[in-house]
Amino acid sequence: MSGYMGKLLTVDLTRGELGDEPLEPTWAHDFVGGAGYAARYLYDELGPDTDPLGPENTLMFMTGPLVGTRAPSCGRHEVCAISPLTGIWGESNSGGFWGAELKFSGYDGIVIRGRSQSPVWLSIVEGQVPTLHDAASLWGLGTYETQQRLRDEMDDQKLRVASIGPAGENLVLYSAIMNDHGRAAGRTGMGAVMGSKNLKAIAVRGRQRVPLADRQAFRLTTKHALQTVIDDITSQVYCQMGTASFVDMSMMWGNMPNKYWSQAQFDKATNLSGVTMMETILTRSVPCYGCAVACGREVTLKDTPYGVEVVDGPEYETVAMLGSQLLVDDLPGVAYAGHLCNRYGLDTISAGSSIALAYLLYDRGFITSADTGGLPLKWGDVEVAHTLLEMIALRKGFGDVLADGVKRISARYEAGDLAVHVNGLEPAAHDPRALSGMAIIYATSPRGACHMQGDMYAVDMGLTFPEVGIHPSGRFKTRGKSKVAAKVQDWRTLYNSAIMCVFVNPTAPVLAKLLSEVTGWSSDIVLWQRAGERIFNLKRAFNNRLGIRRGNDRLPERLFIPMSNGSKGRTPRMETLLGEYYACREWDWNTGKPTRDKLISLGLQEIAEELWA
Amino acid sequence: MSGYMGKLLTVDLTRGELGDEPLEPTWAHDFVGGAGYAARYLYDELGPDTDPLGPENTLMFMTGPLVGTRAPSCGRHEVCAISPLTGIWGESNSGGFWGAELKFSGYDGIVIRGRSQSPVWLSIVEGQVPTLHDAASLWGLGTYETQQRLRDEMDDQKLRVASIGPAGENLVLYSAIMNDHGRAAGRTGMGAVMGSKNLKAIAVRGRQRVPLADRQAFRLTTKHALQTVIDDITSQVYCQMGTASFVDMSMMWGNMPNKYWSQAQFDKATNLSGVTMMETILTRSVPCYGCAVACGREVTLKDTPYGVEVVDGPEYETVAMLGSQLLVDDLPGVAYAGHLCNRYGLDTISAGSSIALAYLLYDRGFITSADTGGLPLKWGDVEVAHTLLEMIALRKGFGDVLADGVKRISARYEAGDLAVHVNGLEPAAHDPRALSGMAIIYATSPRGACHMQGDMYAVDMGLTFPEVGIHPSGRFKTRGKSKVAAKVQDWRTLYNSAIMCVFVNPTAPVLAKLLSEVTGWSSDIVLWQRAGERIFNLKRAFNNRLGIRRGNDRLPERLFIPMSNGSKGRTPRMETLLGEYYACREWDWNTGKPTRDKLISLGLQEIAEELWA
């Protein structure tokens, strides 16, 4: 018997009905869990007629087989639905403790349908019947306050809460679902989907042990895996300096964007680095569940005018998107901006990008102070960014415009060619001019310009999984790059199904072994890599049905304007990258769909029939 | 008394009423005629609430003081209205004989308001009352056939006819108004405005002499001016090889665009050159009224499968937009494409750009044969372009999409950053990467990416009007360039008001003298250059009222992607160009409007009051 035969909680918010549903065993096997399982599940109920903010969009919170075990860095959960920001497949995963806690409560995931008439929150506590509660008094609260209120109300300071803030309530298209302390399912606007359903929060608590097919073997493998993670120098770097440790090297390479992708270097960026943070405002490193890395930051803003003391500190993406992109080098100011995003429930990448685009449009005369309600948007001004973040979350004045993300902002001001996004999602702070691998990743990711499936920026820095064919090559290389990128995508797709964090990992065979020992299925790496490939192609089919064609596999033209210094005037050779990518993916050049044969070879017979009908 | 005190014919198509209206003398003095007079006239009756294709848009056909005189190359007329393609100031001028003939009929211009219930055409024949006629039997006819039918019907083979073709009838947003043999008021979709009014054609005939303030002096100055034009080597080049004589040099410089602005060189372009045309299919050079240059082409397609014998041949813009932009080097094929544009009444620049963008989108997988109705769009295939031109004119199938121009096509396929236009108008075949002067011209022209006001490409080739401060400088120069560009704009704005052709001109003092001798006003160059500046600023104010801000003064991001070879990897330094431009124009950096003081100093007190209210 498999060790992975759990259940889902189904919630019909329209009718106020809750129920249990077992995992479909063949889906669990073929799509693992997390975003993989959700993709298969949602494939059958969402489609081109789904309004992402309508009651017909289904929102899934998913854990996976490794979540809540002692395997390293496996406390994460996935949130999936059609994205209101992009109109295609939406997914976002978050760390912290919430995912593991959901597992401890006895559930592998939650399926949320419909729309509540009035605000509610959901409790899932082991030993109690899962219950919907009135959330009228929570509506309008920030995410930290919401968590504290529910802990107090349930009289349990270890209650784990995932909630939206005002941004999600106000349907900001890139609002996040926050959990624990400053952990975010940030990307693709899952917070807005939750807000559209009038669901403010989900509180979870439990003490069940996660079932394991081979507990003894798993304990040994875990010990070995953990040691690998601990011994990795990156763990120590991340622990001491967080992901912002990457700032100086990233700037040197031309990877960190400045002035909304328009300036090659920002010499003050070092003021935003992890080293500076460590030497100035850092109070401690914060780990997620079962993590030996602890890249999370806690910083003090005691000596600032912001009226807060200790807050969750910014990661690399945040210091780039709310720092260098605005030519801001004031680290406490950026940390406070990040804190506002956490409190209001905003994705820092999309929020920072939207604000940076607004600064650029102001600079270039597309918008004037008449548009902004008198606010001058000047490069380097972080105070205005603070004001804008609140205006965005509340959709107040000019904030209402920025709340829709760069694609819609740029369309409004007829500056579509100045917006940097892929299929509506703003890229992370990895400039594809500096790393050719990120070019093909952004262009082909199932959720737009995504840096998480996969992290070719890390591969170009030296990350390797030799057993699944993932090797570094020159950062400007073109030939052969797409093949590796596709393997990274498949591999990371397994991660977001398992679910394991992508920062500092055991080797591929060890991960396969861990999965095998939890589920009772094969430990053959090829099968697990193939599961990743299956899921990746399934998401592609999901998107093809929503209108994605080959033409969508691209970067904005702006990113072909060469930059001096770090990226040395290089720009991605998309034609070659895409040609090789399509060849190794076996996708159809004309339609952009996976070929019928490819889908069938991955065991996706049903999908093949429908997609090629 | 002034020699320039004419009248306008006013036509109310809704009521079927025609009337005469004298020119407003102060406007004639301050705004000269042509597009200048039209801009002042239309400023008072068009605005942000005007639907360009509604009966409330007013369409003006204007001549100017020089039109119909013996001054060199002064047979032109202007057509003005709000453009349905761009939503801002629309104007287009055309050569041939129609403008001069209108003047001979006793009118300086025609003001057309409202919308006829059913198709009509208008006759303006000296000695007869101007009359609207039923055009039911003409609707659907090509422009050549329309002209012939009206000549036969009026029994006058010297009748001059301006008409729309099927494109204008079907409201193709870049449809032209054609006159005489293949002469076009091509740009900004004036044909669609005419079509929206159900006005098929305007036939004119007359024998009145154009009044001159000092006939004797004018005769001498004209003789001198003509000799200047004849002696200019460019006249001989244009006469023998047409404007396509520019192909080889233009390609060498990286000025001629290929593969829709994405490829630096097209080595087969020489097959499209004026020399090749002269050596292969040219039958004769065709002059317009009073022209010693004769850049017009007549070519034979006898040995082709196109079923036509002798047609009007293509100019430089046409061989670029329907040739090199599609990687087509088949000159007869391109000539036939140009002929189709003439027959259907399409602007070759916008039509070619729309088709080239479609080829690019097809190549890159944005559109597939499912979108095109099975037509494969392959670089180098001119036959498909022929098919598309007909589909566009008739708004048939995929042609209906292409009929809306590159801005709307790209929006439809979410590829706004691939479209090359400024404020909705597709640029001519002068790549601003090759000529920095064209960058600032495109960015600031009153009608979008316009090469006619002014022709900095010619200045960068050596054109000079030293008396008004127009001197060539290096083609990649930035500093000081905008000042010259602004002077060129002002100077050419005088030309399109006078109206004189921009190809091969007398010196500035001679033009001022000609204008003085016709009108009786001063011969001071400064006053005439100032009239150009006044009109240019008036058009700017007209556009500001329609929403134009500083942000609109720009080039698409694609044109900042450097090209090898001809343009040597250079790209325009817009920030400097625009900064200097605003400084010398005295425009407000925040709003993009001419400052109040500037407007007042130009005698535009009323405009200043309204714009800065």
Side-chain angles (χ1 to χ4, degrees):
Chain A
M1 182 188 146
S2 158
Y4 179 48
M5 289 278 284
K7 64 181 178 183
L8 303 174
L9 176 68
T10 61
V11 182
D12 182 335
L13 288 171
T14 305
R15 303 179 183 197
E17 290 175 3
L18 287 74
D20 283 4
E21 183 179 293
L23 288 181
E24 160 69 37
T26 59
W27 287 0
H29 181 273
D30 290 353
F31 306 102
V32 186
Y37 192 94
R40 184 62 192 85
Y41 194 98
L42 294 176
Y43 194 91
D44 284 352
E45 56 185 90
L46 306 181
D49 297 332
T50 307
D51 172 2
L53 295 176
E56 69 269 27
N57 199 4
T58 304
L59 181 68
M60 286 185 79
F61 288 77
M62 283 297 296
T63 68
L66 294 184
V67 175
T69 70
R70 301 306 300 172
S73 310
C74 290
R76 303 185 77 83
H77 63 279
E78 275 279 350
V79 192
C80 304
I82 290 185
S83 163
L85 183 65
T86 65
I88 57 172
W89 173 252
E91 73 173 89
S92 194
N93 76 55
S94 178
F97 298 81
W98 189 93
E101 200 73 30
L102 177 64
K103 202 80 173 276
F104 302 155
S105 79
Y107 288 101
D108 287 85
I110 313 170
V111 183
I112 297 162
R113 297 188 179 89
R115 171 185 285 156
S116 171
Q117 286 260 318
S118 59
V120 291
W121 65 276
L122 171 64
S123 68
I124 305 173
V125 177
E126 198 200 341
Q128 302 177 10
V129 177
T131 309
L132 290 168
H133 310 257
D134 178 32
S137 67
L138 300 176
W139 210 248
L141 292 188
T143 59
Y144 292 106
E145 209 173 344
T146 301
Q147 168 173 284
Q148 196 51 51
R149 286 272 196 101
L150 293 186
R151 284 180 168 183
D152 294 347
E153 189 165 329
M154 301 289 278
D155 194 20
D156 181 350
Q157 296 304 313
K158 290 201 166 170
L159 195 73
R160 301 296 179 178
V161 177
S163 84
I164 55 170
E169 297 171 9
N170 294 317
L171 309 181
V172 174
L173 296 188
Y174 45 84
S175 44
I177 300 171
M178 306 297 299
N179 60 281
D180 301 298
H181 258 266
R183 300 294 105 202
R187 309 235 65 196
T188 71
M190 294 298 101
V193 178
M194 194 160 160
S196 76
K197 298 191 173 307
N198 266 321
L199 179 61
K200 176 71 178 176
I202 305 176
V204 294
R205 190 74 166 101
R207 290 172 179 278
Q208 289 191 21
R209 266 175 113 183
V210 175
L212 302 172
D214 187 342
R215 189 165 295 275
Q216 199 163 359
F218 185 74
R219 191 181 307 131
L220 287 171
T221 311
T222 297
K223 196 175 164 191
H224 167 69
L226 254 177
Q227 201 55 51
T228 315
V229 172
I230 291 167
D231 291 346
D232 194 314
I233 180 75
T234 314
S235 297
Q236 296 160 50
V237 171
Y238 279 171
C239 181
Q240 290 181 48
M241 292 172 282
T243 56
S245 57
F246 187 41
V247 163
D248 290 317
M249 196 194 300
S250 184
M251 188 58 67
M252 182 188 78
W253 281 4
N255 180 56
M256 189 168 173
N258 311 302
K259 207 179 176 185
Y260 199 60
W261 308 97
S262 68
Q263 185 173 300
Q265 298 284 316
F266 174 46
D267 53 11
K268 295 180 182 166
T270 197
N271 296 336
L272 299 170
S273 78
V275 181
T276 306
M277 203 183 313
M278 182 180 71
E279 292 174 350
T280 56
I281 57 174
L282 188 72
T283 49
R284 65 182 183 104
S285 303
V286 185
C288 297
Y289 170 84
C291 181
V293 178
C295 69
R297 308 287 87 188
E298 188 190 86
V299 300
T300 175
L301 297 180
K302 214 173 49 183
D303 302 324
T304 67
Y306 303 129
V308 284
E309 291 244 323
V310 175
V311 302
D312 296 303
E315 54 152 352
Y316 167 73
E317 299 298 340
T318 305
V319 301
M321 291 301 165
L322 290 158
S324 63
Q325 287 281 52
L326 302 175
L327 299 187
V328 165
D329 72 325
D330 168 1
L331 185 56
V334 172
Y336 184 63
H339 172 70
L340 289 174
C341 288
N342 291 343
R343 194 164 82 190
Y344 288 116
L346 288 165
D347 175 36
T348 61
I349 299 177
S350 294
S353 296
S354 297
I355 291 172
L357 172 60
Y359 277 45
L360 185 77
L361 294 181
Y362 190 94
D363 185 17
R364 298 222 184 154
F366 289 83
I367 59 181
T368 67
S369 57
D371 299 289
T372 65
L375 271 186
L377 313 185
K378 302 279 187 203
W379 298 116
D381 186 342
V382 76
E383 314 280 335
V384 163
H386 297 157
T387 307
L388 289 175
L389 285 169
E390 181 178 334
M391 290 168 69
I392 290 167
L394 304 179
R395 281 194 176 273
K396 217 171 60 185
F398 185 58
D400 190 38
V401 174
L402 300 191
D404 287 340
V406 303
K407 181 176 154 184
R408 290 172 178 83
I409 297 167
S410 64
R412 183 189 175 101
Y413 297 107
E414 301 205 337
D417 58 338
L418 284 171
V420 175
H421 69 87
V422 176
N423 297 317
L425 190 72
E426 299 82 1
H430 300 287
D431 194 317
R433 288 169 286 201
L435 304 163
S436 60
M438 286 312 292
I440 190 71
I441 291 287
Y442 284 151
T444 60
S445 155
R447 63 174 191 177
C450 164
H451 66 303
M452 295 302 289
Q453 43 187 339
D455 48 342
M456 275 297 287
Y457 67 90
V459 175
D460 279 337
M461 282 173 72
L463 180 69
T464 169
F465 292 97
E467 299 86 352
V468 287
I470 297 170
H471 302 276
S473 65
R475 68 185 175 111
F476 297 126
K477 276 257 161 59
T478 299
R479 296 273 171 208
K481 185 75 86 170
S482 289
K483 197 170 173 184
V484 176
K487 285 185 187 299
V488 172
Q489 287 175 322
D490 294 344
W491 190 239
R492 290 315 195 186
T493 296
L494 176 65
Y495 272 64
N496 64 46
S497 302
I499 305 169
M500 182 181 272
C501 182
V502 301
F503 288 162
V504 195
N505 304 124
T507 64
V510 171
L511 175 58
K513 209 154 171 294
L514 289 167
L515 280 162
S516 165
E517 288 156 3
V518 172
T519 59
W521 303 325
S522 166
S523 65
D524 186 339
I525 302 178
V526 173
L527 294 181
W528 292 105
Q529 170 81 345
R530 197 173 155 71
E533 188 183 4
R534 180 182 303 117
I535 297 163
F536 193 88
N537 278 276
L538 173 67
K539 291 177 186 170
R540 177 70 179 190
F542 188 100
N543 282 338
N544 289 141
R545 218 168 40 163
L546 295 174
I548 291 290
R549 309 139 299 171
R550 176 167 53 88
N552 293 89
D553 302 331
R554 68 184 199 106
L555 300 180
E557 287 292 300
R558 276 197 76 191
L559 298 183
F560 296 96
I561 301 174
M563 302 283 252
S564 55
N565 296 338
S567 57
K568 300 184 176 178
R570 302 294 196 95
T571 53
R573 291 171 48 207
M574 284 312 290
E575 209 165 336
T576 306
L577 286 168
L578 211 56
E580 292 196 353
Y581 186 86
Y582 265 64
C584 71
R585 278 268 177 235
E586 295 170 54
W587 285 0
D588 177 62
W589 188 250
N590 189 37
T591 61
K593 298 193 267 192
T595 57
R596 187 189 193 94
D597 287 352
K598 181 72 195 177
L599 291 170
I600 290 170
S601 81
L602 289 167
L604 297 169
Q605 181 79 38
E606 281 175 8
I607 311 295
E609 295 307 331
E610 199 213 326
L611 200 65
W612 288 98
Chain B
M1 180 189 146
S2 157
Y4 179 47
M5 289 278 284
K7 64 180 178 185
L8 303 175
L9 175 68
T10 61
V11 181
D12 182 333
L13 287 171
T14 306
R15 304 181 183 196
E17 290 175 3
L18 286 73
D20 283 5
E21 183 179 293
L23 288 181
E24 160 67 38
T26 61
W27 287 0
H29 180 273
D30 290 352
F31 306 101
V32 186
Y37 192 94
R40 183 62 194 86
Y41 194 98
L42 294 177
Y43 194 91
D44 284 353
E45 56 185 273
L46 305 182
D49 298 331
T50 307
D51 172 1
L53 295 178
E56 68 269 27
N57 200 3
T58 304
L59 181 68
M60 286 184 79
F61 288 76
M62 284 296 296
T63 68
L66 293 185
V67 175
T69 71
R70 299 307 300 170
S73 311
C74 290
R76 302 186 78 83
H77 63 279
E78 274 280 351
V79 192
C80 303
I82 290 185
S83 163
L85 183 66
T86 65
I88 57 172
W89 173 251
E91 72 172 89
S92 195
N93 77 54
S94 178
F97 297 82
W98 188 93
E101 199 74 30
L102 177 63
K103 202 81 174 275
F104 301 155
S105 79
Y107 288 101
D108 286 85
I110 313 169
V111 183
I112 298 162
R113 296 189 180 88
R115 170 186 284 155
S116 172
Q117 286 261 318
S118 59
V120 291
W121 65 276
L122 171 64
S123 67
I124 306 174
V125 177
E126 198 200 343
Q128 302 178 9
V129 176
T131 308
L132 290 168
H133 310 257
D134 178 33
S137 67
L138 301 176
W139 211 248
L141 292 188
T143 59
Y144 292 107
E145 208 174 344
T146 301
Q147 167 174 285
Q148 196 52 52
R149 284 273 197 100
L150 293 186
R151 285 180 167 182
D152 293 347
E153 190 166 328
M154 301 288 279
D155 195 20
D156 180 352
Q157 295 306 312
K158 290 201 165 168
L159 194 73
R160 300 296 179 180
V161 176
S163 84
I164 55 170
E169 297 172 9
N170 294 316
L171 309 180
V172 173
L173 296 186
Y174 45 83
S175 44
I177 301 172
M178 306 297 300
N179 61 282
D180 300 300
H181 257 267
R183 300 295 104 201
R187 308 236 66 195
T188 71
M190 295 297 102
V193 178
M194 194 161 160
S196 75
K197 298 189 173 307
N198 265 321
L199 178 60
K200 176 70 178 176
I202 305 176
V204 294
R205 190 74 167 99
R207 289 170 180 279
Q208 289 191 20
R209 267 173 114 180
V210 175
L212 301 174
D214 187 342
R215 189 165 296 274
Q216 198 162 1
F218 185 74
R219 191 181 306 132
L220 286 172
T221 312
T222 297
K223 195 175 164 189
H224 167 69
L226 255 177
Q227 199 56 50
T228 316
V229 172
I230 291 167
D231 290 346
D232 194 314
I233 179 76
T234 314
S235 297
Q236 293 160 52
V237 171
Y238 279 172
C239 180
Q240 288 181 50
M241 292 172 282
T243 56
S245 57
F246 188 40
V247 163
D248 290 316
M249 196 194 301
S250 184
M251 188 58 67
M252 182 186 79
W253 280 5
N255 180 58
M256 189 169 173
N258 311 301
K259 207 179 176 185
Y260 198 60
W261 308 96
S262 68
Q263 184 173 300
Q265 297 284 315
F266 175 45
D267 53 12
K268 294 180 182 168
T270 196
N271 296 336
L272 299 169
S273 77
V275 181
T276 306
M277 202 183 314
M278 182 180 72
E279 292 173 350
T280 57
I281 58 174
L282 188 73
T283 50
R284 66 183 182 104
S285 304
V286 185
C288 295
Y289 171 83
C291 181
V293 178
C295 70
R297 308 286 88 187
E298 186 190 88
V299 300
T300 175
L301 298 179
K302 213 172 52 185
D303 303 324
T304 68
Y306 303 130
V308 283
E309 292 242 321
V310 175
V311 301
D312 296 302
E315 53 152 351
Y316 168 72
E317 299 298 340
T318 305
V319 300
M321 291 300 165
L322 290 159
S324 63
Q325 287 281 51
L326 302 174
L327 300 188
V328 164
D329 72 325
D330 168 1
L331 185 55
V334 172
Y336 184 63
H339 172 68
L340 288 174
C341 288
N342 291 344
R343 195 164 81 190
Y344 287 116
L346 289 165
D347 175 35
T348 61
I349 298 178
S350 294
S353 296
S354 298
I355 292 173
L357 172 59
Y359 277 45
L360 186 77
L361 294 180
Y362 190 93
D363 185 16
R364 299 222 185 154
F366 289 82
I367 59 180
T368 65
S369 56
D371 299 289
T372 64
L375 270 186
L377 313 185
K378 303 278 187 203
W379 297 116
D381 186 342
V382 75
E383 314 281 334
V384 162
H386 297 157
T387 307
L388 288 175
L389 286 169
E390 182 178 333
M391 290 167 70
I392 290 168
L394 305 179
R395 280 194 177 274
K396 217 170 61 183
F398 185 58
D400 191 37
V401 173
L402 299 192
D404 286 342
V406 303
K407 181 176 156 185
R408 291 172 177 83
I409 296 167
S410 63
R412 181 189 178 101
Y413 296 107
E414 301 205 337
D417 59 338
L418 284 171
V420 175
H421 68 87
V422 176
N423 297 317
L425 190 72
E426 298 82 2
H430 300 286
D431 194 317
R433 289 170 286 202
L435 303 164
S436 60
M438 286 312 292
I440 190 69
I441 290 287
Y442 284 151
T444 60
S445 154
R447 63 174 191 176
C450 163
H451 67 301
M452 295 302 289
Q453 45 188 337
D455 47 343
M456 276 297 286
Y457 67 91
V459 174
D460 279 335
M461 283 173 70
L463 180 69
T464 171
F465 292 98
E467 298 86 353
V468 286
I470 297 170
H471 302 276
S473 66
R475 68 184 174 111
F476 298 125
K477 277 255 163 61
T478 299
R479 297 271 172 209
K481 185 75 85 168
S482 288
K483 195 169 172 183
V484 176
K487 285 185 186 298
V488 171
Q489 287 176 323
D490 294 344
W491 190 239
R492 290 316 195 185
T493 295
L494 175 64
Y495 272 65
N496 63 47
S497 302
I499 306 167
M500 182 182 271
C501 182
V502 301
F503 288 161
V504 194
N505 304 124
T507 64
V510 170
L511 175 58
K513 206 153 175 293
L514 288 168
L515 280 162
S516 163
E517 287 157 2
V518 172
T519 60
W521 303 324
S522 165
S523 64
D524 186 339
I525 301 178
V526 174
L527 293 182
W528 291 104
Q529 170 80 345
R530 197 174 155 70
E533 188 184 4
R534 181 181 303 116
I535 297 163
F536 193 87
N537 277 276
L538 173 67
K539 291 177 186 171
R540 178 69 178 188
F542 188 100
N543 282 338
N544 289 141
R545 219 169 37 165
L546 296 175
I548 290 290
R549 307 140 302 172
R550 177 166 54 90
N552 293 88
D553 302 331
R554 68 184 198 107
L555 300 180
E557 287 294 297
R558 277 197 76 190
L559 298 184
F560 297 96
I561 301 175
M563 301 284 252
S564 55
N565 296 338
S567 57
K568 301 183 177 178
R570 303 294 197 94
T571 54
R573 291 170 48 203
M574 283 313 291
E575 210 166 333
T576 306
L577 286 169
L578 212 56
E580 293 196 352
Y581 186 86
Y582 266 63
C584 70
R585 278 268 178 236
E586 295 168 55
W587 285 0
D588 177 61
W589 189 249
N590 190 38
T591 60
K593 297 192 269 192
T595 57
R596 188 188 192 92
D597 286 353
K598 182 71 197 180
L599 290 170
I600 290 171
S601 80
L602 289 168
L604 297 170
Q605 182 77 39
E606 281 176 6
I607 310 294
E609 294 309 330
E610 199 214 326
L611 200 65
W612 287 97

